[in-house]
Amino acid sequence: MTLRVIPFTTGGFPMAGDTVLYAEAANPHLDTVHMDSPTGAVFYDAPVQLENFRRRLDLIEKAALTPRESADFIHTVAREL
């Protein structure tokens, strides 16, 4: 697992506040997205839906700090507490 931080200074980003799990399989046809909703779990597995989520996740990745920058950021915040 890789933890990447998106600082508040970045502003908004796609899917902020949503609980999303993108399960990527060795065979892309088996990829699935799980989202929580007020009425329960929702699953997406249609190719068009998955492509939409991949694009949004790519934007989030671009907004996030690198893994090293994220670790440094977390250590800095911890020292300030």
Side-chain angles (χ1 to χ4, degrees), residues 11-49:
F13 57 91
M15 296 189 297
D18 292 337
T19 303
V20 178
L21 170 69
Y22 189 107
E24 186 175 26
N27 180 339
H29 296 294
L30 299 175
D31 288 5
T32 303
V33 171
H34 168 269
M35 287 187 71
D36 289 335
S37 79
T39 58
V42 179
F43 294 91
Y44 299 98
D45 61 1
V48 172
Q49 294 168 324

Side-chain angles (χ1 to χ4, degrees), residues 3 5 7-10 13 19 21 27 31 33 35 49 54-55 59 63 68 74-76 78-81:
L3 178 66
V5 173
F8 288 120
T9 56
T10 300
F13 57 91
T19 303
L21 170 69
N27 180 339
D31 288 5
V33 171
M35 287 187 71
Q49 294 168 324
R54 280 193 213 86
R55 277 195 311 273
L59 292 172
R68 178 75 251 156
I74 291 166
H75 288 118
T76 299
R79 280 192 298 271
E80 292 175 0
L81 295 178

